[in-house]
Amino acid sequence: MTWSGFLAFVFASFVLAMVPGVGTAMLLKQSIRGGRRGALATVAGMEVGVAVWAVAAGLGLSVLLVASEYAYQALRIVGVGVLVWFGVKALFGKHDHTADDVPTSGSGFRAGLLVNLANPKLAVFAISFLPQFVAADAPRWVLLALAGLWVVIDTVWYLMVIALLSKVMGWLKRTEVRTRLERFSGAVLIALGIRLAVES
């Protein structure tokens, strides 16, 4: 792998991380409810999910998912269910914001992990993205190293997002603002679930 190829990979990974999507919506939701601690736990869960698909792509395992229409569609249905479930809870759930309503770090981790593990688009993306930057005859460890670097870059971006959110956390925790943003993030998650459902 050349230096130009490596730099292109790093740049592409940052650009892709910056594109708002399921992870951003989930992180916003968990930050509002659980503060910085909840946000960090969510990022940890999301990145474990990214790592699973990235390593699977590096080992060639996620090709099996793409090759099997039944497996892909089953995972897509699960993904739709996960997104809509979290979205409905945020949009229509109680927003009393009492101490009992604050989520634990474990729930944030599970939420982040679920949305990425149940995302078939992430699997397809991993097997189409990573190989672009290595030669066809490159050893497997090169793909695995890129998979690890992808996770690191994705994590760095979301930690930057958390740092930004921390600056306005006082404003985010205002009852009216928090309720509206929770409902907004819920609507976004539902919309993403619907989009996943209608896309082939």
Side-chain angles (χ1 to χ4, degrees):
M1 186 178 190
T2 63
W3 272 109
S4 59
F6 176 78
L7 293 176
F9 174 79
V10 171
F11 177 75
S13 297
F14 264 115
V15 170
L16 292 166
M18 292 168 65
V19 175
V22 174
T24 305
M26 180 57 70
L27 183 58
L28 176 61
K29 173 182 176 295
Q30 294 299 119
S31 296
I32 295 166
R33 300 191 67 233
R36 182 180 177 85
R37 183 177 179 183
L40 289 172
T42 303
V43 169
M46 290 194 305
E47 296 312 320
V48 169
V50 170
V52 168
W53 289 124
V55 171
L59 295 174
L61 301 178
S62 52
V63 175
L64 300 176
L65 173 66
V66 179
S68 172
E69 180 69 15
Y70 291 113
Y72 178 84
Q73 293 301 335
L75 185 59
R76 187 165 70 95
I77 291 170
V78 172
V80 170
V82 168
L83 290 175
V84 172
W85 168 252
F86 281 119
V88 167
K89 284 180 65 178
L91 186 59
F92 301 108
K94 294 180 180 180
H95 299 283
D96 52 13
H97 305 141
T98 61
D100 294 335
D101 187 50
V102 177
T104 63
S105 296
S107 66
F109 180 87
R110 287 191 297 272
L113 179 63
L114 276 175
V115 294
N116 276 348
L117 281 185
N119 186 355
K121 299 286 184 182
L122 187 57
V124 174
F125 172 77
I127 65 171
S128 62
F129 175 63
L130 292 175
Q132 294 181 45
F133 299 91
V134 297
D137 58 348
R140 184 158 291 175
W141 69 263
V142 176
L143 273 176
L144 292 175
L146 286 184
L149 181 58
W150 181 27
V151 172
V152 170
I153 291 172
D154 205 53
T155 302
V156 169
W157 169 251
Y158 281 119
L159 290 178
M160 291 169 63
V161 173
I162 291 175
L164 179 61
L165 290 174
S166 297
K167 298 290 186 181
V168 293
M169 195 58 69
W171 177 74
L172 289 176
K173 287 190 174 182
R174 293 180 182 176
T175 301
E176 183 179 352
V177 173
R178 180 176 173 180
T179 299
R180 289 182 178 179
L181 285 177
E182 277 194 66
R183 288 174 175 163
F184 172 74
S185 64
V188 170
L189 288 170
I190 292 173
L192 291 170
I194 293 173
R195 188 178 73 174
L196 181 59
V198 300
E199 289 181 349
S200 58

